[in-house]
Amino acid sequence: MPKVNELYHPRSDILSLFSHRLCVDSSQKWRAEAAAFLARKGFPNKRVEQWQYTDLRVLGNVPYQMALQDNNHVCAKKLLHALPEWHDVLAFLPRIVFVNGYFSPVLSQVPPTLTLTSQHFNGGGENDFFKDTLHIGQQPFVALNTALADEEILLQVQEGVEAGQILMVSLALGGETPISFHPRYTLHIGKGACLSLVSVNTGEGRYCHNPVLNIKVENNAKLKHLTLFQEGDQGCVLETVCARIAGHGVYDSFALTLGGRLTRHEVYVLLAETGGIANVNGVQCLSSEQIGDITSVMVYGASECASRQTVRTVLSEYARGVFQGKVIVRRGAQKADGYQMSQALLLSDHAEVNVKPELEIYADNVRCSHGATVGALDEDQLFYLRSRGIPEDEAQNILIEAFLKESLSLLEDERLRRFCHAGLVRSFYSQKGASS
Amino acid sequence: MSQLLEIVDLHAHVIADEQEKQILRGVSLSIPPGEVHVVMGPNGSGKSTLSYVLAGCDAYKITSGRVMFRGQNLLAMKPEERAALGLFLAFQNPVELPGVNNAHFLRMAVNAVRRQRGQEELDAVAFLKQARKVIETLSMAPDMLKRAVNVGFSGGEKKRNEVLQMTLLEPCFAILDETDSGLDVDALRVVAEGVNRLRSAEFSALVITHHQKLLEYLVPDRVHVMANGQMILSGGIDLARQIDQEGYVHVMKGASTCLK
Ligand SMILES: Nc1ncnc2c1ncn2[C@@H]1O[C@H](COP(=O)(O)OP(=O)(O)OP(=O)(O)O)[C@@H](O)[C@H]1O
Ligand SMILES: [Mg+2]
């Protein structure tokens, strides 16, 4: 066992990218605490288990400047409209737009079914539902967010309201000098309410986007949450989602990662009461030296809950994909039904995928399964196609597209599935075009 | 050029568990244009391997021998080129292609072959019209076109889907590897009719089967028996009847004494 302080980068390393901004006004106790925590521990290096596959050195070596509120909407609008299928699918949805982490009323159309309040971040308090139970506060990027968050956005769907589909866009406008922003969101789905939230993250220039999203799904409420990460080539995003699901509540999430220098989507779910359901599914399609990381922790705290963690990954060139899925079934959480699956397709000898399933089970009546496949395209399938006259490269594309398409079959909404499919295919072929 | 297909002393092996496993041990066989030949033989004798090798599967390594097809060196060609030249293999166990729509797949295949043959490609409408017609003659459910290739198809449906592909790709030489296995009587007739419809002076077939029944519908020109990676016996349809009644062991015993 290495000593604890060896597990972290020396303070001068990754932490120094942010530390010039961590000199803190001590009247804001939470900031001081988070900053002190980071100063003490720094950022994890690859010897820390949860970070063994994702090397934070890709964050670079130039300190990140504070992102400023953007008052010129030209760039933001341009970015918005450059999104694939924007005009077909997304443009018609009610939307809330954030630029560099700040809410932009001008670009948003908040629907009446959603209550949006923005306030100065005050440490989270009761909004951080399980800082203590799951020690989320000790996640380095939650601590960083806590130390540097400026605005906190509260989103609420009132009891019994069917809020429909709402688009949440986060735009990053970085430049030559890297910027970082650390928004804090709290999303509350009232009893029996339901919402389909489509989060789209995109940006340009050099930036680090470090959001923390606290979600509370009340009894019989349902949140569908699709997140698209279509970050710029030099964009890094380290997102942490913490969701608490009450009795018979549903949190059905799906993340689609297309590009970005580093995209880490880290999700903690607490199935706190009987009959809750949570899905953390996703697809990562990456090339060049991109890194995509989906890390999820599913905690069963009550009986008769179910979860699905399925991730598909397609990697070409030097891309790396990570999927860490953990299931913790606490004592008494009987009849837990957990399912995990990772399927990866490697299209180059240099690409690498790391998959780590973990089960910690303290109840006795539990069904948990996991599986993983990694491989190149199936030779038998390729031969079948070629024996029908289809040339080799075309046959490969057919199989890759099929893999991608299958991976979206968990999305029920036909329009969203089409939107994601178009994004995937476009991203795949533009990567291919660029590399050949 | 009197033969459509000429196989001479073909040897092939596969690497399994880091060892060379010899499967074809000197296969020779000639099929003239317009003829239907049958290959029978015990399980594991190498029939499917022969058909894979002819279709161009590179899992099998060819160590000696040659194969001429329409006067060209077949073994030097890619699988897709063989298909374009008119060779078709109906697989014993067709693979499933999850996420690949059957109609889309069929049209890709038809157009790939047409392109290579210098024919004009079919647009979606023209293609569907033709595909629906064939589907009807094969008594297939129309929704087969909408489903993913072979996914969840019953054994018989998979076989019919092979015959559908064969019909659409217009080959001049088809290998049917146990296309009759697992079929009910009606399906068997449908498959046999599918082949019979293609029969002409320009179409030949190599039919691999274990069953006498198919041969009643599909009167073959010759019957060959394969054992242990070689063709050991040839004859007319009577040979198939004899095998059906007496079994391979008996017939092969006779063959080895004949060969001596
Ligand atoms: N890829 C492979 N790896 C290892 N062994 C193989 C492989 N392919 C074929 N064989 C072996 O080669 C032999 C011939 O197989 P093949 O499938 O050609 O037989 P067959 O005559 O078609 O039998 P059947 O009548 O059962 O279909 C068998 O012993 C089989 O196990
Ligand atoms: Mg066989």
Side-chain angles (χ1 to χ4, degrees):
Chain A
M1 272 298 274
K3 280 185 292 181
V4 169
N5 55 4
E6 280 178 6
L7 290 173
Y8 292 84
H9 288 287
R11 286 201 298 134
S12 57
D13 199 347
I14 304 295
L15 187 60
S16 68
L17 300 176
F18 303 97
S19 57
H20 60 291
R21 284 158 55 199
L22 289 173
C23 37
V24 165
D25 169 3
S26 60
S27 69
Q28 298 179 316
K29 197 169 124 267
W30 67 92
R31 289 199 204 283
E33 276 171 14
F37 171 80
L38 284 171
R40 205 166 59 242
K41 300 198 83 174
F43 280 100
N45 64 25
K46 298 182 72 172
R47 283 197 248 154
V48 174
E49 212 191 344
Q50 267 211 322
W51 292 87
Q52 63 184 324
Y53 303 122
T54 295
D55 192 341
L56 287 172
R57 281 177 297 190
V58 301
L59 288 170
N61 51 20
V62 182
Y64 284 87
Q65 302 305 312
M66 175 93 147
L68 298 176
Q69 211 157 348
D70 160 77
N71 294 315
N72 160 10
H73 304 292
V74 179
C75 297
K77 275 192 187 146
K78 216 175 74 199
L79 261 178
L80 265 182
H81 290 268
L83 285 168
E85 301 297 291
W86 171 257
H87 296 281
D88 288 352
V89 185
L90 299 183
F92 306 103
L93 294 181
R95 59 180 183 257
I96 49 178
V97 179
F98 299 85
V99 182
N100 289 351
Y102 291 97
F103 177 60
S104 165
V106 177
L107 296 175
S108 303
Q109 305 144 0
V110 186
T113 49
L114 184 75
T115 315
L116 183 148
T117 333
S118 93
Q119 62 184 42
H120 255 288
F121 180 54
N122 64 6
E126 80 257 30
N127 289 330
D128 287 0
F129 308 113
F130 47 100
K131 231 189 321 198
D132 303 330
T133 43
L134 294 183
H135 306 292
I136 303 296
Q138 291 177 17
Q139 295 306 318
F141 285 92
V142 175
L144 186 69
N145 177 286
T146 305
L148 295 175
D150 186 7
E151 217 177 33
E152 177 176 23
I153 304 289
L154 306 172
L155 301 166
Q156 186 160 24
V157 179
Q158 304 290 345
E159 203 174 310
V161 171
E162 302 233 348
Q165 281 181 346
I166 296 175
L167 178 65
M168 174 169 162
V169 183
S170 179
L171 303 171
L173 300 174
E176 274 302 302
T177 330
I179 57 158
S180 78
F181 52 103
H182 311 263
R184 194 85 165 195
Y185 303 97
T186 293
L187 179 54
H188 187 202
I189 314 294
K191 277 185 194 158
C194 82
L195 169 65
S196 166
L197 184 68
V198 181
S199 300
V200 172
N201 300 278
T202 187
E204 62 186 16
R206 304 179 50 135
Y207 59 90
C208 172
H209 179 195
N210 168 220
V212 170
L213 181 53
N214 279 295
I215 295 175
K216 199 170 184 181
V217 176
E218 299 293 2
N219 288 342
N220 298 308
K222 181 166 187 179
L223 173 62
K224 287 191 186 189
H225 189 193
L226 169 66
T227 307
L228 169 67
F229 296 101
Q230 178 133 321
E231 304 291 357
D233 293 342
Q234 303 175 76
C236 294
V237 55
L238 295 126
E239 180 189 59
T240 311
V241 177
C242 323
R244 181 191 189 276
I245 317 303
H248 301 280
V250 176
Y251 176 57
D252 184 10
S253 79
F254 193 99
L256 178 60
T257 304
L258 307 173
R261 182 68 192 87
L262 163 66
T263 304
R264 170 137 161 153
H265 177 63
E266 198 169 332
V267 184
Y268 297 82
V269 180
L270 176 61
L271 291 159
E273 295 169 22
T274 307
I277 294 176
N279 300 328
V280 182
N281 300 321
V283 173
Q284 314 186 79
C285 179
L286 305 167
S287 67
S288 65
E289 292 183 302
Q290 294 163 345
I291 301 172
D293 177 339
I294 295 181
T295 291
S296 60
V297 179
M298 196 66 69
V299 182
Y300 285 73
S303 59
E304 290 168 54
C305 292
S307 70
R308 235 172 188 277
Q309 293 154 283
T310 64
V311 173
R312 284 204 180 198
T313 309
V314 179
L315 303 174
S316 47
E317 300 175 281
Y318 290 84
R320 291 175 54 109
V322 179
F323 169 49
Q324 308 184 95
K326 186 168 183 170
V327 172
I328 301 172
V329 181
R330 291 187 178 158
R331 186 160 299 141
Q334 300 299 4
K335 298 193 184 161
D337 182 0
Y339 174 81
Q340 260 185 31
M341 178 54 89
S342 162
Q343 288 168 288
L345 188 54
L346 301 184
L347 301 175
S348 126
D349 294 339
H350 305 290
E352 190 181 317
V353 67
N354 298 105
V355 176
K356 191 177 65 180
E358 277 181 284
L359 299 176
E360 267 180 40
I361 298 177
Y362 303 102
D364 43 28
N365 181 6
V366 164
R367 196 173 68 188
C368 280
S369 63
H370 64 83
T373 64
V374 180
L377 293 172
D378 185 281
E379 288 295 334
D380 293 339
Q381 294 180 336
L382 267 179
F383 176 61
Y384 190 72
L385 289 165
R386 294 180 69 191
S387 76
R388 272 42 180 152
I390 298 171
E392 188 172 13
D393 56 342
E394 241 178 276
Q396 286 171 346
N397 289 345
I398 290 177
L399 294 180
I400 294 163
E401 276 194 42
F403 183 85
L404 296 174
K405 193 173 133 204
E406 284 280 286
S407 62
L408 298 175
S409 59
L410 290 171
L411 288 173
E412 286 164 24
D413 186 285
E414 154 89 39
R415 266 194 333 168
L416 290 183
R417 201 166 57 229
R418 268 211 328 267
F419 160 68
C420 288
H421 185 245
L424 263 175
V425 170
R426 184 179 309 219
S427 141
F428 176 69
Y429 283 103
S430 70
Q431 291 165 5
K432 241 186 114 164
S435 65
S436 62
Chain B
M1 182 195 77
S2 62
Q3 305 296 348
L4 176 74
L5 177 80
E6 190 176 18
I7 306 170
V8 181
D9 196 30
L10 189 63
H11 287 74
H13 68 235
V14 69
I15 306 287
D17 302 327
E18 295 173 19
Q19 296 216 335
E20 277 181 24
K21 179 169 180 184
Q22 197 68 37
I23 303 176
L24 302 185
R25 304 162 190 264
V27 175
S28 295
L29 178 69
S30 294
I31 302 182
E35 292 196 0
V36 171
H37 287 210
V38 165
V39 172
M40 305 181 84
N43 294 133
S45 54
K47 305 180 297 296
S48 292
T49 303
L50 176 63
S51 58
Y52 275 125
V53 165
L54 293 178
C57 174
D58 61 11
Y60 300 98
K61 195 165 169 342
I62 291 149
T63 46
S64 67
R66 63 189 172 87
V67 180
M68 300 299 283
F69 178 59
R70 298 179 72 184
Q72 300 191 37
N73 177 5
L74 188 73
L75 300 180
M77 284 184 247
K78 296 178 186 169
E80 54 267 35
E81 293 166 345
R82 301 179 195 207
L85 199 58
L87 185 144
F88 181 88
L89 166 62
F91 285 71
Q92 183 173 0
N93 300 306
V95 294
E96 301 188 355
L97 303 177
V100 181
N101 172 272
N102 205 17
H104 179 64
F105 158 69
L106 291 167
R107 188 155 85 92
M108 297 275 284
V110 166
N111 280 337
V113 160
R114 293 181 71 92
R115 217 163 36 234
Q116 293 173 81
R117 291 177 186 163
Q119 297 165 321
E120 212 175 301
E121 294 187 27
L122 297 183
D123 64 27
V125 178
F127 167 77
L128 273 179
K129 209 171 132 196
Q130 198 184 332
R132 292 218 179 92
K133 216 163 65 193
V134 180
I135 278 198
E136 212 184 294
T137 61
L138 294 175
S139 326
M140 287 171 77
D143 80 331
M144 290 296 177
L145 280 177
K146 295 193 193 127
R147 291 167 61 177
V149 181
N150 295 329
V151 177
F153 284 24
S154 76
E157 286 168 343
K158 282 184 184 169
K159 300 289 166 107
R160 282 183 215 217
N161 203 37
E162 294 292 291
V163 178
L164 168 64
Q165 292 169 48
M166 176 176 77
T167 311
L168 289 172
L169 290 176
E170 303 176 341
C172 63
F173 176 59
I175 306 167
L176 291 100
D177 190 356
E178 297 198 28
T179 306
D180 55 333
S181 293
L183 292 185
D184 61 45
V185 262
D186 294 342
L188 192 68
R189 191 167 329 119
V190 165
V191 167
E193 280 166 4
V195 178
N196 280 334
R197 251 193 303 275
L198 294 176
R199 273 179 110 153
S200 74
E202 280 82 48
F203 176 81
S204 303
L206 181 67
V207 178
I208 298 170
T209 183
H210 289 295
H211 305 293
Q212 170 64 18
K213 190 88 190 147
L214 179 69
L215 305 185
E216 282 168 22
Y217 296 110
L218 204 78
V219 184
D221 296 289
R222 276 196 89 67
V223 175
H224 310 272
V225 178
M226 188 168 185
N228 200 16
Q230 283 182 319
M231 297 297 171
I232 56 155
L233 209 56
S234 292
I237 185 147
D238 293 343
L239 182 55
R241 294 205 182 105
Q242 194 192 345
I243 289 170
D244 198 43
Q245 282 157 17
E246 300 171 14
Y248 286 118
V249 177
H250 190 84
V251 173
M252 276 154 45
K253 238 184 240 152
S256 53
T257 47
C258 283
L259 287 176
K260 278 174 202 161

